[in-house]
Amino acid sequence: MTVPITLAQGDITAQHADALVNAANSSLLGGGGVDGAIHRRGGPEILAECRRLRASRYGKGLPTGQAVATTAGRLDAAHVIHTVGPVWSATEDRSALLASCHREALRVAAELGARTLAFPAISTGVYRWPIDDAARIAVRTVREAADPALFDEVRFVLFDQAAYDAYAEALAAAADG
Ligand code: APR
């Protein structure tokens, strides 16, 4: 029995879930893409909490593959879970770091009692990870790591049709075993 995994196409900042995952960078101080949208729509409280994290636990920034939660501000969620994806490399296999982003976000969500969690396609934008490979890693990791007793739904929110199709393909392949 694996956790129910669903797909949605659209803007993750318009989603309702207990927690939304942000594709952040190590600074935790914002950026473009998902990061920019979450801070823009979520409002200043999120950045204020990120700054407090930088002034305390994460003085050197959030390491790649790790995750940390903040308020979701004005977003339709209780929490934002910020994680830092690996930048794609053609010479170094960083798959374990991308898997870690998903595993750590699930761990933080479970600690918070968040039972529905929405992920973007981490690392597949500015960080240039090929969408098909990222989808395979994301779906496999969530199927392995998400405890169905702790989660009612894990949703991947894809911004465009190509990403949606890639995740649908990965989901179908994983279900076939
Ligand atoms: N909702 C859902 N998905 C989105 C949104 C959105 N509002 N905006 C972009 N995306 C998609 C992109 O199309 C891509 O498929 O999210 C995926 C991840 O893209 P990025 O946001 O660029 O994230 P990433 O590749 O992990 O790069 C992170 O980019 O924005 C900066 O501060 C961020 O430095 C960090 C880097």
PDB file of all heavy atoms in Angstrom, residues 10-12 23-25 30-35 37 120-128 157 159-160, ligand 1:
ATOM      1  N   GLY A  10      -0.636  23.502 -12.917  1.00  0.00           N
ATOM      2  CA  GLY A  10      -0.939  24.893 -12.563  1.00  0.00           C
ATOM      3  C   GLY A  10       0.100  25.465 -11.631  1.00  0.00           C
ATOM      4  O   GLY A  10       1.209  24.951 -11.504  1.00  0.00           O
ATOM      5  N   ASP A  11      -0.305  26.533 -10.986  1.00  0.00           N
ATOM      6  CA  ASP A  11       0.569  27.308 -10.100  1.00  0.00           C
ATOM      7  C   ASP A  11       0.463  26.738  -8.686  1.00  0.00           C
ATOM      8  O   ASP A  11      -0.631  26.704  -8.118  1.00  0.00           O
ATOM      9  CB  ASP A  11       0.089  28.770 -10.129  1.00  0.00           C
ATOM     10  CG  ASP A  11       0.948  29.687  -9.290  1.00  0.00           C
ATOM     11  OD1 ASP A  11       1.663  29.188  -8.390  1.00  0.00           O
ATOM     12  OD2 ASP A  11       0.913  30.900  -9.531  1.00  0.00           O
ATOM     13  N   ILE A  12       1.578  26.292  -8.137  1.00  0.00           N
ATOM     14  CA  ILE A  12       1.541  25.671  -6.800  1.00  0.00           C
ATOM     15  C   ILE A  12       1.048  26.666  -5.751  1.00  0.00           C
ATOM     16  O   ILE A  12       0.449  26.267  -4.748  1.00  0.00           O
ATOM     17  CB  ILE A  12       2.924  25.091  -6.418  1.00  0.00           C
ATOM     18  CG1 ILE A  12       2.791  24.130  -5.225  1.00  0.00           C
ATOM     19  CG2 ILE A  12       3.957  26.176  -6.174  1.00  0.00           C
ATOM     20  CD1 ILE A  12       3.999  23.257  -4.982  1.00  0.00           C
ATOM     21  N   ALA A  23      10.761  25.193  -4.036  1.00  0.00           N
ATOM     22  CA  ALA A  23      12.051  24.885  -4.684  1.00  0.00           C
ATOM     23  C   ALA A  23      12.962  26.082  -4.433  1.00  0.00           C
ATOM     24  O   ALA A  23      13.078  26.997  -5.255  1.00  0.00           O
ATOM     25  CB  ALA A  23      11.843  24.668  -6.178  1.00  0.00           C
ATOM     26  N   ALA A  24      13.589  26.058  -3.281  1.00  0.00           N
ATOM     27  CA  ALA A  24      14.346  27.226  -2.804  1.00  0.00           C
ATOM     28  C   ALA A  24      15.808  27.137  -3.241  1.00  0.00           C
ATOM     29  O   ALA A  24      16.202  26.229  -3.984  1.00  0.00           O
ATOM     30  CB  ALA A  24      14.253  27.299  -1.275  1.00  0.00           C
ATOM     31  N   ASN A  25      16.581  28.110  -2.792  1.00  0.00           N
ATOM     32  CA  ASN A  25      18.041  27.991  -2.897  1.00  0.00           C
ATOM     33  C   ASN A  25      18.593  28.089  -1.487  1.00  0.00           C
ATOM     34  O   ASN A  25      17.864  28.380  -0.539  1.00  0.00           O
ATOM     35  CB  ASN A  25      18.635  29.080  -3.811  1.00  0.00           C
ATOM     36  CG  ASN A  25      18.334  30.462  -3.309  1.00  0.00           C
ATOM     37  OD1 ASN A  25      18.700  30.832  -2.200  1.00  0.00           O
ATOM     38  ND2 ASN A  25      17.596  31.218  -4.101  1.00  0.00           N
ATOM     39  N   GLY A  30      14.805  33.856  -1.160  1.00  0.00           N
ATOM     40  CA  GLY A  30      13.959  34.102  -2.328  1.00  0.00           C
ATOM     41  C   GLY A  30      14.713  33.963  -3.636  1.00  0.00           C
ATOM     42  O   GLY A  30      15.922  33.751  -3.668  1.00  0.00           O
ATOM     43  N   GLY A  31      13.930  34.059  -4.713  1.00  0.00           N
ATOM     44  CA  GLY A  31      14.531  33.887  -6.051  1.00  0.00           C
ATOM     45  C   GLY A  31      13.455  34.018  -7.100  1.00  0.00           C
ATOM     46  O   GLY A  31      12.505  34.796  -6.907  1.00  0.00           O
ATOM     47  N   GLY A  32      13.557  33.212  -8.158  1.00  0.00           N
ATOM     48  CA  GLY A  32      12.545  33.289  -9.218  1.00  0.00           C
ATOM     49  C   GLY A  32      11.617  32.098  -9.134  1.00  0.00           C
ATOM     50  O   GLY A  32      11.369  31.576  -8.042  1.00  0.00           O
ATOM     51  N   GLY A  33      11.103  31.659 -10.263  1.00  0.00           N
ATOM     52  CA  GLY A  33      10.312  30.421 -10.351  1.00  0.00           C
ATOM     53  C   GLY A  33       9.355  30.202  -9.192  1.00  0.00           C
ATOM     54  O   GLY A  33       8.652  31.123  -8.760  1.00  0.00           O
ATOM     55  N   VAL A  34       9.354  28.980  -8.677  1.00  0.00           N
ATOM     56  CA  VAL A  34       8.468  28.628  -7.546  1.00  0.00           C
ATOM     57  C   VAL A  34       8.779  29.531  -6.349  1.00  0.00           C
ATOM     58  O   VAL A  34       7.893  30.095  -5.706  1.00  0.00           O
ATOM     59  CB  VAL A  34       8.661  27.154  -7.145  1.00  0.00           C
ATOM     60  CG1 VAL A  34       7.896  26.821  -5.876  1.00  0.00           C
ATOM     61  CG2 VAL A  34       8.230  26.225  -8.274  1.00  0.00           C
ATOM     62  N   ASP A  35      10.067  29.710  -6.107  1.00  0.00           N
ATOM     63  CA  ASP A  35      10.535  30.495  -4.944  1.00  0.00           C
ATOM     64  C   ASP A  35       9.952  31.899  -4.997  1.00  0.00           C
ATOM     65  O   ASP A  35       9.375  32.415  -4.027  1.00  0.00           O
ATOM     66  CB  ASP A  35      12.068  30.529  -4.988  1.00  0.00           C
ATOM     67  CG  ASP A  35      12.712  30.789  -3.646  1.00  0.00           C
ATOM     68  OD1 ASP A  35      11.970  30.901  -2.632  1.00  0.00           O
ATOM     69  OD2 ASP A  35      13.941  30.904  -3.589  1.00  0.00           O
ATOM     70  N   ALA A  37       7.379  32.920  -6.699  1.00  0.00           N
ATOM     71  CA  ALA A  37       5.906  32.914  -6.619  1.00  0.00           C
ATOM     72  C   ALA A  37       5.436  32.727  -5.184  1.00  0.00           C
ATOM     73  O   ALA A  37       4.500  33.388  -4.728  1.00  0.00           O
ATOM     74  CB  ALA A  37       5.355  31.802  -7.510  1.00  0.00           C
ATOM     75  N   PRO A 120       6.437  20.920  -6.109  1.00  0.00           N
ATOM     76  CA  PRO A 120       6.703  21.295  -7.500  1.00  0.00           C
ATOM     77  C   PRO A 120       7.703  20.304  -8.083  1.00  0.00           C
ATOM     78  O   PRO A 120       8.175  19.407  -7.384  1.00  0.00           O
ATOM     79  CB  PRO A 120       7.314  22.690  -7.351  1.00  0.00           C
ATOM     80  CG  PRO A 120       8.089  22.590  -6.074  1.00  0.00           C
ATOM     81  CD  PRO A 120       7.309  21.651  -5.179  1.00  0.00           C
ATOM     82  N   ALA A 121       8.037  20.515  -9.358  1.00  0.00           N
ATOM     83  CA  ALA A 121       9.052  19.661 -10.007  1.00  0.00           C
ATOM     84  C   ALA A 121      10.434  20.212  -9.644  1.00  0.00           C
ATOM     85  O   ALA A 121      11.064  20.956 -10.398  1.00  0.00           O
ATOM     86  CB  ALA A 121       8.845  19.658 -11.517  1.00  0.00           C
ATOM     87  N   ILE A 122      10.909  19.854  -8.494  1.00  0.00           N
ATOM     88  CA  ILE A 122      12.149  20.407  -7.936  1.00  0.00           C
ATOM     89  C   ILE A 122      13.329  20.209  -8.900  1.00  0.00           C
ATOM     90  O   ILE A 122      13.464  19.151  -9.516  1.00  0.00           O
ATOM     91  CB  ILE A 122      12.462  19.733  -6.575  1.00  0.00           C
ATOM     92  CG1 ILE A 122      11.337  20.036  -5.576  1.00  0.00           C
ATOM     93  CG2 ILE A 122      13.803  20.192  -6.013  1.00  0.00           C
ATOM     94  CD1 ILE A 122      11.395  19.185  -4.321  1.00  0.00           C
ATOM     95  N   SER A 123      14.129  21.237  -9.031  1.00  0.00           N
ATOM     96  CA  SER A 123      15.383  21.254  -9.819  1.00  0.00           C
ATOM     97  C   SER A 123      15.182  21.266 -11.326  1.00  0.00           C
ATOM     98  O   SER A 123      16.181  21.293 -12.063  1.00  0.00           O
ATOM     99  CB  SER A 123      16.285  20.053  -9.463  1.00  0.00           C
ATOM    100  OG  SER A 123      16.895  20.256  -8.211  1.00  0.00           O
ATOM    101  N   THR A 124      13.954  21.256 -11.812  1.00  0.00           N
ATOM    102  CA  THR A 124      13.757  21.128 -13.280  1.00  0.00           C
ATOM    103  C   THR A 124      13.623  22.470 -13.987  1.00  0.00           C
ATOM    104  O   THR A 124      13.371  22.518 -15.191  1.00  0.00           O
ATOM    105  CB  THR A 124      12.485  20.299 -13.571  1.00  0.00           C
ATOM    106  OG1 THR A 124      11.336  21.034 -13.091  1.00  0.00           O
ATOM    107  CG2 THR A 124      12.541  18.938 -12.905  1.00  0.00           C
ATOM    108  N   GLY A 125      13.792  23.565 -13.273  1.00  0.00           N
ATOM    109  CA  GLY A 125      13.722  24.887 -13.923  1.00  0.00           C
ATOM    110  C   GLY A 125      15.112  25.483 -14.022  1.00  0.00           C
ATOM    111  O   GLY A 125      15.955  25.007 -14.794  1.00  0.00           O
ATOM    112  N   VAL A 126      15.356  26.481 -13.206  1.00  0.00           N
ATOM    113  CA  VAL A 126      16.679  27.153 -13.207  1.00  0.00           C
ATOM    114  C   VAL A 126      17.799  26.137 -13.016  1.00  0.00           C
ATOM    115  O   VAL A 126      18.881  26.266 -13.570  1.00  0.00           O
ATOM    116  CB  VAL A 126      16.712  28.215 -12.075  1.00  0.00           C
ATOM    117  CG1 VAL A 126      18.118  28.708 -11.785  1.00  0.00           C
ATOM    118  CG2 VAL A 126      15.797  29.365 -12.439  1.00  0.00           C
ATOM    119  N   TYR A 127      17.520  25.085 -12.244  1.00  0.00           N
ATOM    120  CA  TYR A 127      18.580  24.093 -11.967  1.00  0.00           C
ATOM    121  C   TYR A 127      18.706  23.025 -13.049  1.00  0.00           C
ATOM    122  O   TYR A 127      19.483  22.092 -12.916  1.00  0.00           O
ATOM    123  CB  TYR A 127      18.359  23.470 -10.582  1.00  0.00           C
ATOM    124  CG  TYR A 127      18.686  24.405  -9.418  1.00  0.00           C
ATOM    125  CD1 TYR A 127      18.463  24.027  -8.099  1.00  0.00           C
ATOM    126  CD2 TYR A 127      19.222  25.681  -9.638  1.00  0.00           C
ATOM    127  CE1 TYR A 127      18.763  24.871  -7.037  1.00  0.00           C
ATOM    128  CE2 TYR A 127      19.512  26.531  -8.592  1.00  0.00           C
ATOM    129  CZ  TYR A 127      19.294  26.126  -7.304  1.00  0.00           C
ATOM    130  OH  TYR A 127      19.592  26.974  -6.255  1.00  0.00           O
ATOM    131  N   ARG A 128      17.911  23.138 -14.101  1.00  0.00           N
ATOM    132  CA  ARG A 128      18.100  22.436 -15.376  1.00  0.00           C
ATOM    133  C   ARG A 128      18.065  20.901 -15.338  1.00  0.00           C
ATOM    134  O   ARG A 128      18.586  20.240 -16.246  1.00  0.00           O
ATOM    135  CB  ARG A 128      19.429  22.871 -16.032  1.00  0.00           C
ATOM    136  CG  ARG A 128      19.511  24.345 -16.358  1.00  0.00           C
ATOM    137  CD  ARG A 128      20.710  24.710 -17.223  1.00  0.00           C
ATOM    138  NE  ARG A 128      21.866  23.818 -17.079  1.00  0.00           N
ATOM    139  CZ  ARG A 128      22.722  23.839 -16.065  1.00  0.00           C
ATOM    140  NH1 ARG A 128      22.529  24.672 -15.091  1.00  0.00           N
ATOM    141  NH2 ARG A 128      23.751  23.002 -16.002  1.00  0.00           N
ATOM    142  N   VAL A 157       2.558  19.259  -8.413  1.00  0.00           N
ATOM    143  CA  VAL A 157       1.903  20.361  -9.132  1.00  0.00           C
ATOM    144  C   VAL A 157       2.854  20.824 -10.237  1.00  0.00           C
ATOM    145  O   VAL A 157       3.932  21.367  -9.964  1.00  0.00           O
ATOM    146  CB  VAL A 157       1.574  21.533  -8.186  1.00  0.00           C
ATOM    147  CG1 VAL A 157       0.815  22.624  -8.941  1.00  0.00           C
ATOM    148  CG2 VAL A 157       0.744  21.030  -6.995  1.00  0.00           C
ATOM    149  N   PHE A 159       3.848  22.839 -13.778  1.00  0.00           N
ATOM    150  CA  PHE A 159       3.512  24.155 -14.320  1.00  0.00           C
ATOM    151  C   PHE A 159       3.079  24.088 -15.780  1.00  0.00           C
ATOM    152  O   PHE A 159       2.341  24.927 -16.250  1.00  0.00           O
ATOM    153  CB  PHE A 159       4.731  25.083 -14.201  1.00  0.00           C
ATOM    154  CG  PHE A 159       4.387  26.520 -13.988  1.00  0.00           C
ATOM    155  CD1 PHE A 159       3.284  26.903 -13.234  1.00  0.00           C
ATOM    156  CD2 PHE A 159       5.188  27.523 -14.530  1.00  0.00           C
ATOM    157  CE1 PHE A 159       2.981  28.243 -13.027  1.00  0.00           C
ATOM    158  CE2 PHE A 159       4.894  28.872 -14.333  1.00  0.00           C
ATOM    159  CZ  PHE A 159       3.786  29.223 -13.585  1.00  0.00           C
ATOM    160  N   ASP A 160       3.590  23.084 -16.503  1.00  0.00           N
ATOM    161  CA  ASP A 160       3.230  23.036 -17.929  1.00  0.00           C
ATOM    162  C   ASP A 160       2.916  21.595 -18.334  1.00  0.00           C
ATOM    163  O   ASP A 160       3.158  20.656 -17.577  1.00  0.00           O
ATOM    164  CB  ASP A 160       4.380  23.613 -18.789  1.00  0.00           C
ATOM    165  CG  ASP A 160       5.718  22.944 -18.478  1.00  0.00           C
ATOM    166  OD1 ASP A 160       5.731  21.685 -18.391  1.00  0.00           O
ATOM    167  OD2 ASP A 160       6.716  23.641 -18.288  1.00  0.00           O
TER     168      ASP A 160
HETATM  169  N1  APR B   1       4.019  26.688  -9.651  1.00  0.00           N
HETATM  170  C1  APR B   1       4.418  25.431  -9.977  1.00  0.00           C
HETATM  171  N2  APR B   1       5.533  25.153 -10.679  1.00  0.00           N
HETATM  172  C2  APR B   1       6.284  26.218 -11.076  1.00  0.00           C
HETATM  173  C3  APR B   1       5.948  27.554 -10.774  1.00  0.00           C
HETATM  174  C4  APR B   1       4.760  27.761 -10.031  1.00  0.00           C
HETATM  175  N3  APR B   1       4.346  28.995  -9.682  1.00  0.00           N
HETATM  176  N4  APR B   1       6.919  28.368 -11.300  1.00  0.00           N
HETATM  177  C5  APR B   1       7.808  27.570 -11.907  1.00  0.00           C
HETATM  178  N5  APR B   1       7.429  26.271 -11.786  1.00  0.00           N
HETATM  179  C6  APR B   1       8.100  25.063 -12.281  1.00  0.00           C
HETATM  180  C7  APR B   1       9.145  25.241 -13.338  1.00  0.00           C
HETATM  181  O1  APR B   1       8.544  25.237 -14.630  1.00  0.00           O
HETATM  182  C8  APR B   1      10.007  24.009 -13.110  1.00  0.00           C
HETATM  183  O2  APR B   1       9.419  22.894 -13.766  1.00  0.00           O
HETATM  184  O3  APR B   1       8.794  24.535 -11.163  1.00  0.00           O
HETATM  185  C9  APR B   1       9.901  23.756 -11.604  1.00  0.00           C
HETATM  186  C10 APR B   1      11.142  24.184 -10.798  1.00  0.00           C
HETATM  187  O4  APR B   1      11.652  25.374 -11.349  1.00  0.00           O
HETATM  188  P1  APR B   1      12.362  26.513 -10.442  1.00  0.00           P
HETATM  189  O5  APR B   1      11.330  27.241  -9.693  1.00  0.00           O
HETATM  190  O6  APR B   1      13.267  27.260 -11.350  1.00  0.00           O
HETATM  191  O7  APR B   1      13.207  25.702  -9.357  1.00  0.00           O
HETATM  192  P2  APR B   1      14.602  24.945  -9.486  1.00  0.00           P
HETATM  193  O8  APR B   1      14.848  24.427 -10.872  1.00  0.00           O
HETATM  194  O9  APR B   1      14.604  23.982  -8.350  1.00  0.00           O
HETATM  195  O10 APR B   1      15.674  26.083  -9.251  1.00  0.00           O
HETATM  196  C11 APR B   1      15.737  26.679  -7.966  1.00  0.00           C
HETATM  197  O11 APR B   1      15.534  28.842  -8.892  1.00  0.00           O
HETATM  198  O12 APR B   1      13.910  30.321  -8.416  1.00  0.00           O
HETATM  199  C12 APR B   1      15.190  29.990  -8.125  1.00  0.00           C
HETATM  200  O13 APR B   1      15.491  30.690  -5.857  1.00  0.00           O
HETATM  201  C13 APR B   1      15.358  29.553  -6.693  1.00  0.00           C
HETATM  202  O14 APR B   1      17.718  29.544  -6.838  1.00  0.00           O
HETATM  203  C14 APR B   1      16.584  28.723  -6.792  1.00  0.00           C
HETATM  204  C15 APR B   1      16.399  28.019  -8.125  1.00  0.00           C
END
